[in-house]
Amino acid sequence: VGIADRNKISYSQAASVDYTPIYDAHELLHTFAFCSGALDDHIFHSFDNYVYLRLTGRERYGADTMRSGAAQLMGYNLQFIKNDSDPAKRAEQCRGYLGNLMTVLYYDSGIETIKRLYRATIKPGPAATPNQTIASLFGTKGNQFQALVNALKRDAQYPLNVPECGY
């Protein structure tokens, strides 16, 4: 259990000794994103589930529980997105919506879909110039969010229709 700061992880010895399970890929994901230049912002935490499965041979949490929980949270995020005029709060809900969508996609479509979407956010080209809403919500990360939205619209089975987020 620790904190990632760019390419450095500081682990808390007291918390880590008693941590169950003993595998925690979360902070590694942050450092990988920093080093690769991929979008982070807790969007691709479905990788946590995949790493745990590969290391232990079993799901950390039940797939049905994770998928239904993420789908339910998407609805929760959407409700707040539509009702919140504060851009900072809306940006946080928009991030949550995409993160929960990635979890649903992981369980419905598999890790290859998540890998493809993750890679789309690494050094996106000019086609990922963010629309006005995405640029205003996500600032310098706008092109990465736009690249993810473009890839989702192109490749994924779930239509995005969240104009308040620019999706």
Side-chain angles (χ1 to χ4, degrees), residues 7-93:
N7 62 345
K8 178 182 173 187
I9 301 173
S10 300
Y11 283 102
S12 164
Q13 183 178 1
S16 296
V17 168
D18 294 327
Y19 185 73
T20 303
I22 61 170
Y23 302 110
D24 179 15
H26 179 93
E27 301 308 328
L28 288 172
L29 292 173
H30 292 300
T31 58
F32 292 157
F34 171 77
C35 292
S36 70
L39 179 63
D40 189 357
D41 283 7
H42 293 102
I43 302 296
F44 290 99
H45 277 67
S46 50
F47 277 125
D48 281 358
N49 304 320
Y50 178 72
V51 169
Y52 190 76
L53 176 63
R54 296 290 297 177
L55 289 173
T56 67
R58 59 186 170 86
E59 295 281 346
R60 180 171 179 187
Y61 304 106
D64 291 339
T65 300
M66 287 296 294
R67 190 207 177 284
S68 66
Q72 184 178 13
L73 285 172
M74 285 170 62
Y76 169 84
N77 294 130
L78 199 53
Q79 175 186 354
F80 280 91
I81 289 166
K82 293 186 179 295
N83 294 325
D84 203 331
S85 59
D86 179 351
K89 290 179 182 176
R90 190 168 352 111
E92 190 60 34
Q93 294 297 332

